[in-house]
Amino acid sequence: MGRMSGTEERGSDAPDGELPEYADLVLGVAERIPPGRVMTYGDVAEYLDEGGPRQVGRVMSLYGGAVPWWRVVRADGVLLPGKERHALQQYRAEGTPLREARRTEGAPGERAMPRVDMRRARWDGREGPERATHD
C-alpha cells in the first residue's frame, strides 16, 4: 500500500488517494536522505535506476509535501523558487552545508539567497548519514 499524498490541493491520479508506484519509490528515497544532506533530482532517478530528473521533479511537485522535500534539490544547489525561505529554515535547522550568495546574484535591491553546498551536502544513498559523497 502506498503513501497518501501530502498535498490536499492536488489529488492523486490513483484511486483511493494511493500514490502511483513511481511516486511512492521517489518519496521513499526522499525520506531516507539524512538531515543535513541532499540528493539532486537526477541522483534520485539514478538511485532508483528509473525515470529521470524531470520525472522526479514532477513527483516532488505533486506529492512531495508529505516528505522532507527540501532534501531533493537542483544540481546547482539553488533553492526551490517560491519556497526559498522555508527551505533555508530547514537547512539551517539541520546543519546543511550552504554557500553564501554572491553579491552579483539576484535582482538589484533583492537579497540574494544562499545555495546548498553540493560538494559537501550531497548524499549518494549508500553511506552513513555522517558523510557526504564528496569529502
Side-chain angles (χ1 to χ4, degrees):
M1 183 184 235
R3 290 173 189 77
M4 297 298 286
S5 171
T7 54
E8 276 67 40
E9 67 273 5
R10 295 187 191 189
S12 171
D13 293 335
D16 301 323
E18 193 168 316
L19 292 176
E21 183 179 352
Y22 186 69
D24 196 45
L25 293 172
V26 168
L27 298 180
V29 173
E31 288 177 330
R32 289 192 62 227
I33 302 170
R37 298 291 180 231
V38 298
M39 290 178 93
T40 68
Y41 298 107
D43 291 342
V44 172
E46 185 177 323
Y47 181 84
L48 293 172
D49 199 25
E50 187 176 344
R54 288 178 189 236
Q55 289 82 6
V56 172
R58 179 80 174 147
V59 167
M60 294 304 294
S61 170
L62 292 174
Y63 309 109
V67 299
W69 54 265
W70 57 91
R71 296 182 192 153
V72 182
V73 300
R74 290 175 28 168
D76 62 6
V78 170
L79 307 188
L80 184 64
K83 301 284 187 181
E84 299 97 340
R85 294 194 192 294
H86 185 257
L88 189 56
Q89 239 181 347
Q90 296 297 330
Y91 295 141
R92 288 186 172 145
E94 294 181 356
T96 306
L98 299 172
R99 296 180 64 170
E100 290 306 316
R102 297 182 203 118
R103 291 187 188 272
T104 58
E105 293 178 2
E110 182 179 296
R111 184 172 174 231
M113 296 296 266
R115 295 176 182 225
V116 173
D117 184 336
M118 296 305 293
R119 187 183 64 77
R120 294 173 45 217
R122 202 169 191 173
W123 187 67
D124 68 8
R126 291 185 291 270
E127 300 171 334
E130 69 283 349
R131 297 190 49 201
T133 58
H134 303 290
D135 290 330

